[in-house]
Amino acid sequence: MKNTTALTRATVALFAAGCLPVLSFSSQAADDAGYTENGWSAGMSIGKSSANIDSAAIRTALENNGFAVTSIDKDSRNEGYKVYLGYQFGRYIGLEGGYFDLGDFRFMADTVPVTNYGGYTKLKGWNLDLVGTLPLTARLSAFARLGVTRNESETRFSSNGLINTARYSDDYSKHKYGLGLQYDISAAFTLRLEAERYRMDDLVGNDGDIDLYSLGLVYRFGENQLR
């Protein structure tokens, strides 16, 4: 059910990257005044994702086919991560693009007669965001993002044979938006805490959304001019 392999690799990578600013913090802090960014950055964020599974639509679809629904159990939380490249045009505006994996989600409906009717979906894709940054202090900033996504979803349904089921994959474009805070550990490394909403098609084909709450580390490319 969990994308264990990918998430484990992503977690290890983030923790490994997270050690870099700790190991180099003393020297970076001393050299901040001489560090010049070239506008490019790269980062990774890991967190929790939460889906909005449309229970009412699932219930209506089953009842329209003659089944009484007694309950619907949902597994609507998972882990998610994203990796991204960015370019900062100035102090306030930048672009970021990358890959995201929001995990997988499922439901199981209890019905009379018994159908064992369930659904599973996995969501990932690519994004390009416009990011606006507002400095609050010398190191702390707030930011907001608005972007487009190319989503890849894999969905399948199961039953004991009383309901026709299907399995399909789909690619489609949607949008996303989010807010966050970031803190500059040094001139090169930044910590991010953010919340994002991805517009997705849910398990029964309706427009829905998935939220991702994540902690990330960003590396800003550049060079130290001090000799």
Side-chain angles (χ1 to χ4, degrees):
M1 174 181 169
K2 307 293 185 185
N3 191 1
T4 306
T5 302
L7 289 176
T8 299
R9 291 175 180 171
T11 302
V12 170
L14 183 60
F15 278 127
C19 293
L20 293 177
V22 176
L23 294 174
S24 62
F25 179 80
S26 296
S27 60
Q28 282 284 351
D31 295 341
D32 272 1
Y35 191 84
T36 302
E37 298 177 28
N38 63 17
W40 290 98
S41 62
M44 169 179 268
S45 298
I46 295 177
K48 290 291 185 179
S49 54
S50 176
N52 179 21
I53 297 176
D54 194 342
S55 298
I58 296 171
R59 181 182 296 272
T60 298
L62 288 169
E63 290 175 347
N64 287 343
N65 282 278
F67 298 96
V69 180
T70 57
S71 66
I72 298 177
D73 295 324
K74 299 183 293 183
D75 185 0
S76 58
R77 296 183 183 275
N78 208 320
E79 287 78 30
Y81 70 91
K82 60 177 184 172
V83 292
Y84 41 92
L85 290 173
Y87 187 83
Q88 196 71 21
F89 294 100
R91 189 177 185 185
Y92 302 106
I93 298 294
L95 278 177
E96 286 185 1
Y99 173 83
F100 60 87
D101 188 329
L102 301 180
D104 51 71
F105 311 92
R106 64 183 66 208
F107 74 85
M108 178 63 71
D110 293 326
T111 66
V112 179
V114 176
T115 61
N116 295 327
Y117 184 63
Y120 162 97
T121 191
K122 180 175 177 58
L123 300 162
K124 57 186 178 181
W126 301 87
N127 68 283
L128 180 64
D129 298 351
L130 180 66
V131 182
T133 304
L134 177 64
L136 303 176
T137 68
R139 291 183 178 269
L140 181 66
S141 301
F143 64 91
R145 65 172 70 246
L146 177 64
V148 294
T149 60
R150 185 62 183 175
N151 304 326
E152 302 171 6
S153 65
E154 177 186 345
T155 303
R156 63 176 181 263
F157 297 93
S158 61
S159 172
N160 60 2
L162 294 182
I163 299 178
N164 292 328
T165 59
R167 177 174 181 172
Y168 59 91
S169 298
D170 194 15
D171 294 332
Y172 53 93
S173 296
K174 290 285 187 177
H175 67 274
K176 65 188 282 284
Y177 53 90
L179 296 170
L181 292 172
Q182 61 184 27
Y183 182 80
D184 296 334
I185 302 173
S186 69
F189 290 97
T190 297
L191 281 177
R192 276 186 177 176
L193 181 65
E194 62 181 313
E196 298 172 277
R197 172 156 290 180
Y198 293 74
R199 295 295 296 175
M200 294 283 184
D201 290 341
D202 67 14
L203 287 171
V204 290
N206 297 308
D207 285 341
D209 48 67
I210 296 179
D211 296 329
L212 177 65
Y213 305 94
S214 64
L215 178 65
L217 182 67
V218 180
Y219 175 73
R220 304 188 183 284
F221 295 97
E223 60 181 346
N224 197 320
Q225 300 296 327
L226 296 181
R227 295 291 184 266

